[in-house]
Structure formats: structure tokens, C-alpha cells
Amino acid sequence: MPSPRARSKPKKSATTRSTNTSETAYAIARERYAALGVDTEKALARLAKVAISIHCWQGDDVGGFENPGGTLGDGLAVTGNYPGKARTPDELRADFEKAASLIPGKHRFNLHASYAEMGGSRVDRDALSADQFRNWIAWAKGLGIALDFNQTYFAHPKVDRGWTLTHPDAGIRKFWVEHGIRCREIGAAFGRALGKTCLTNLWIPDGMKDTPADRRGPRERLIESLDAIYRKPVDRRLNVDSVEPKLFGIGAESYTPGSHEFYLGYAATRGTLLTLDAGHYHPTEGIADKVSSVLSFLPEIALHVSRGVRWDSDHVVTLTDDLQAIAQEIVWGDYLDRVRIGLDYFDASIHRVAAWAIGTRNMVKALLLALLAPIGLLKAAELEGDYTTRLALMEDSKLLPAGAVWDRYCEQLGVPASNDWIQEVKRYEQEVTSRRGT
Ligand code: RNT
Ligand code: ZN
């Protein structure tokens, strides 16, 4: 029973107090930005329209559901053994829903072909169809989200010596070409069922550990294989295709036929998109500057936002300068409608739902920061040759109160703002993921 004092003078609840504080903080922030010609409301409205393609493979360490316990290999390595990873499609879906409830905005889900659900009748990769993905489609429909897709050219016995589409053996190439074709059809089925164009992204692990004697042959075979995969037109409203270059991989340190120049040329001549993965270049080479370069020639590109630490290690995306540079190039270049932003990282050393939330929230934060930058003033100073003002303003704007705008955004979209979301993950861990066996 409440004390008479409490009854006569009700205390303000902690929630009301914090709502008032964040409202005041936002009002002040809004004014600060307005003084620099930035409309925070407009920025938030624009941000809410950006759908990030969130990769399924953070949830189960790129395992997929074809062969439980199968090894990954083929240039991909996941480290860490944090308990409680998703072991079944239902668990993965539940974990993703949890992560999505902690990320502001409506996003997309990016599946790999190895996440097929066989339902008793095993189908090899060259015979997959939308049938093996009907649960995924129904689930996405229920959530009102779009799906993206990827051919899976790894973790399979036909990845022979690490080769797929460039393999010298025509039979092996044919198998992987069929896989490529089937996946585009599945992508189109996603697009049709969900009413949003699917992106089907192709990456192969092919390459050589040591200096090759023939760099030309595998590339010629790759062109032939790709042309066979993309021969049949697919309605671009349902599915678009992208190819993903890479400099090197584990066990393919000396040569990768699907290099940046190779796929850039391929995309430009064949009309596919190009996927820029932040971890696929020389260690100090970022992808930000490539955005406007490549978009000078291609109508659309895709991104795999990732974080390499010393190598293409696919660490969880953090709010680094590199990430901000990517977001700035997209926003400041007015390319939001021509860049399909996707994530590609996998960390098994922390809670996987948290890994999803941290990385995606950072991608959204980076876009917000770019939208909040006084870009009008910066561009005007640059045009006048006033580089002093440009640098001074760029640096000063780093400490503008973006945090208050971020909190406002999270509140508006019904997502926990600051550290509250971490408690949500802890609770989920306690109640759900820690109860899973390994
Ligand atoms: C590998 C590529 C590729 C994969 C995913 C799982 O280096 O980045 O995109 O990470 O397909
Ligand atoms: Zn990638």
C-alpha cells in the first residue's frame, strides 16, 4: 500500500523524466542543426526510408541448414564459440526478429542458398527452387520485409580445389552454372511474392594459393560461366543480379580470377550490379571513393559493409571513419536510391543477436550522421575555394549533438535508444539462447 505522502504527491516516473529530458535534448539539437541549414526532421524522414539488407549468416556463423555440423572452408573463416547460436531455421528467424526489434527502421533479410529447408527430400544446389524457401517467404511476408539472396559457392563437395565457376572441368562448371541459374529464379520468386525487387549476389571463392601459371584461362572460363548464368533475362522488377569482386582469400592469397577490375568490366558490359565489399581490397583501400566512381558508369551498385581488421576478417561493423566515409559518399552524392546497402560480417565471439544489432545500428547511425552534416555549407565553401572553412566546419560538426537526434529516431520508431537494448539481449539470452544445446 502506498504511503500517505506518496499518495498526496505522486512521484514522476523515471520514464516520464527521461522522455522529457530527451525531448529537451532533441529540441536543442534541432536548433543547433537548423542554424547550419540542416533540417533534422527531414533527415529522419529520409532515414526511415532506407532499408538495409541484413545478412542471415551472422545468426549461425554462416552454417546454413544443408548439412548440420558441416565445415565452412573455401576462403571463409568464422572465429569464436559464443554459446547459443541458432541451430534451426525457426531459431534463426526468432533471433532475427529479436535483433530487428532493436534496430530502428524496416530492413531487408539477406539469405544464402545454403539456408534452404529441405523438408525431408534433399535437393542438391543445382536443383534448388523456391519450394525450399517457402517458409522463408511466408515469414518475410508476415513481417512485411523484403528478401535478398546469394548463390552459395562454398561448403560443398563440388567446390573442388577451391574452384567452382572457373574449374577446368566442364561438368563441375555446369553444376555451378545451374546453381547460379536456379538462384536467380528463386530471387525472382522472392521479388514476386514480396513485391520488392530481390538482389541476388554472386561471390565465388575461386583462386590460387600460389603464383599461377595461367591467369587468363580461369578468367575466360569465368566469363563463359557467368554469361551462361545470366543468359536468360529475368524481370528486373523481380530480381537484379550483382557480382562481388575480391582481392584474395584464405588459401587463395596469390590470385583471384574474380578481381575488382574483372567484375567491374563484367558489370559494365553485361548490365549486372557490382557489389563492393569493404573487406575485399588492399588493407588501406576503402570503398567510399569507389561509390561515385562506379556509379558514373553503372546505374546501381550493392554494398557489403564489413570491417576488416588487418585482413578481410569480417568483424562487426563499428562507427569508424571508414563507415562514415561510405555513408557520406552515398548521402552527399545523392545516391541513396542507387545503392543497395547490405552488411557482411560474422562474429561468433559475442552474442549473435547483439552482433546483428550493433552492426546494423551503426550503419543506420552512419547514415544519420551523413544526413545531419551541414553539406550545403561544406559544398558552398568548397566551390568558393575556401578550404579553410570546409575543413573547420567538417571537424566542428563532428561534435554536434547527433546523439539526441538518434535517440529521438529510436523513440519515434519504437526501438530502445541507448543502452536499454543491451538489457533486452541479456534477457533474451537468459530466456532463450542460453537454453540451447550446442
Ligand atoms: C566472402 C564474401 C561473401 C561472403 C558471404 C557469406 O569474402 O564477402 O560475400 O562473406 O557470401
Ligand atoms: Zn561480401
Side-chain angles (χ1 to χ4, degrees), residues 57 62 74-76 112 150-152 154 201-204 244-246 248-249 275 277 279-280 304 306 312 314 344-346:
W57 52 94
V62 205
D74 306 318
L76 294 170
H112 239 285
N150 298 262
Q151 285 97 350
T152 307
F154 51 81
N201 179 64
L202 182 147
W203 171 75
I204 57 169
E244 181 182 4
K246 188 164 179 172
F248 82 98
T275 299
D277 183 309
H280 286 193
H304 270 188
S306 190
D312 180 26
D314 292 293
D344 182 9
Y345 58 81
F346 25 96

